[in-house]
Amino acid sequence: MINPNDLGKYIAATDSASQPWLLVQLRLSKLMAEKEHLSDEAYLARLKDIHQDFMELGEWWHGREAELFGE
């Protein structure tokens, strides 16, 4: 599991707050860290919300692979 604090520091250090896939990953890592303190219903609702946001990202990265992913 990715530590949400470490990921947050990485995002801040690399000025990556405009990279939506990292923000989704940050939300997911925070959810995983909080899972034991949430009811099953609350966990599932938050997971569905994160999934929906992820799916809405679409294929915005096509044609920008080298710029965004260093390929």
Side-chain angles (χ1 to χ4, degrees):
M1 178 175 76
I2 297 173
N3 180 305
N5 292 326
D6 291 342
L7 183 55
K9 289 176 186 176
Y10 170 81
I11 291 170
T14 59
D15 197 27
S16 300
S18 63
Q19 298 177 356
W21 70 91
L22 287 176
L23 299 178
V24 168
Q25 190 172 355
L26 179 61
R27 289 176 60 203
L28 187 56
S29 66
K30 285 183 176 184
L31 177 61
M32 296 303 294
E34 298 170 2
K35 182 178 180 180
E36 66 184 57
H37 304 290
L38 298 170
S39 68
D40 290 343
E41 294 80 17
Y43 174 79
L44 186 56
R46 289 179 58 187
L47 184 59
K48 285 180 179 180
D49 184 55
I50 293 169
H51 178 261
Q52 182 62 41
D53 288 348
F54 178 69
M55 297 310 293
E56 289 175 4
L57 292 178
E59 296 182 358
W60 56 271
W61 48 269
H62 273 274
R64 299 177 60 199
E65 292 88 350
E67 170 193 351
L68 298 170
F69 305 114
E71 294 182 358

